[in-house]
Amino acid sequence: MTPLVLALFAGGLTGLALGALGGGGSMLAVPALIYLLGFSPAAATTAGLVVVTLTSVTALVTHAREGAVRWREGALFAAAGLVPAAVGGAVSGHLSSGVLTGAFAVVAALAAVRMLRPSASVRPDGVPVRAGRVARTGAGLGAVTGVLGVGGGFLAVPALVNVVGLRMRAAVGTSLLVITVNSLAALAARTGTTVDVDWGAVAPFAAAAVLGAWDGRRLAARLSASALQRTFAVALLAVALFMLVDAVV
């Protein structure tokens, strides 16, 4: 397949995953940019942030129209990750390709396992939200976003459920706000870096991802959420193992 077709195909899958699950799409975007389009890990994480930001905004609009976004809780959670995301974005440019690839593979594998074994716990309504715990969780998510160029929806959704106390539907929508804010902070920190990004390849990738996000939301309404999550997790685990072997070898 030509680079254009590959970009459109991979971008569509990325948007589909993010629109359907409220996160996880960027875990496909970075390896697709590396192995299908020939990006370096540093360039792929930067381009991945652009794709994640655009698709998250698109999906966020859809969820907001349905009243599934808790703006206050999401803003507080995202605020804790602003500085770590910016610092992580600046640090990422100084890491070697092997370190970035290996770290991404480990995080992707953890995300896949987390999706295969979702937590059923929800913070009881009578238990107060601990600001310190929210701040620590938001900061950790921001750091992951900054360094690896991923939105972190696979971490944000369960955190918003178990730490902030949102119901799953609201957590998925609100996670898109958190992802958008963290991705923008990480991108701002990378402005002016010497990473060479082929924006001609990123443009069709991002466009396909935006369209896929719309379809993903509709797909989620028709199919079992657990089945979608398991399918995506298995695919993500395979990608993670491939990247880990590649980083080691």
Side-chain angles (χ1 to χ4, degrees):
M1 289 189 286
T2 66
L4 176 59
V5 174
L6 287 173
L8 292 172
F9 176 74
L13 286 180
T14 297
L16 195 66
L18 196 146
L21 302 175
S26 55
M27 304 303 290
L28 290 179
V30 172
L33 288 166
I34 294 174
Y35 297 107
L36 296 182
L37 298 179
F39 281 47
S40 69
T45 55
T46 299
L49 285 170
V50 174
V51 174
V52 167
T53 301
L54 292 175
T55 50
S56 295
V57 169
T58 300
L60 177 62
V61 170
T62 303
H63 284 262
R65 287 176 177 173
E66 298 175 356
V69 179
R70 301 294 179 265
W71 297 99
R72 180 178 177 275
E73 292 87 342
L76 291 173
F77 192 90
L82 279 174
V83 173
V87 172
V91 169
S92 179
H94 300 286
L95 299 178
S96 67
S97 296
V99 171
L100 278 175
T101 302
F104 187 95
V106 170
V107 172
L110 292 174
V113 172
R114 177 66 184 77
M115 289 179 179
L116 287 172
R117 299 178 61 185
S119 173
S121 62
V122 176
R123 185 186 61 81
D125 292 335
V127 177
V129 176
R130 296 184 179 180
R133 191 181 178 195
V134 172
R136 289 193 299 272
T137 306
L141 177 63
V144 170
T145 299
V147 175
L148 299 180
V150 298
F154 65 95
L155 293 173
V157 171
L160 288 167
V161 171
N162 297 316
V163 178
V164 180
L166 300 184
R167 298 300 175 184
M168 181 57 70
R169 181 170 177 268
V172 170
T174 306
S175 74
L176 294 166
L177 172 62
V178 177
I179 292 169
T180 301
V181 172
N182 285 342
S183 297
L184 286 173
L187 272 175
R190 296 184 185 215
T191 302
T193 60
T194 57
V195 176
D196 184 20
V197 179
D198 181 4
W199 296 111
V202 174
F205 190 107
V210 168
L211 293 176
W214 288 104
D215 291 333
R217 181 57 184 156
R218 290 194 290 267
L219 182 65
R222 297 179 181 178
L223 301 180
S224 166
S226 60
L228 282 172
Q229 187 163 292
R230 285 195 300 270
T231 301
F232 178 78
V234 170
L236 183 58
L237 186 59
V239 170
L241 292 175
F242 175 81
M243 292 185 73
L244 192 58
V245 171
D246 181 64
V248 173
V249 176

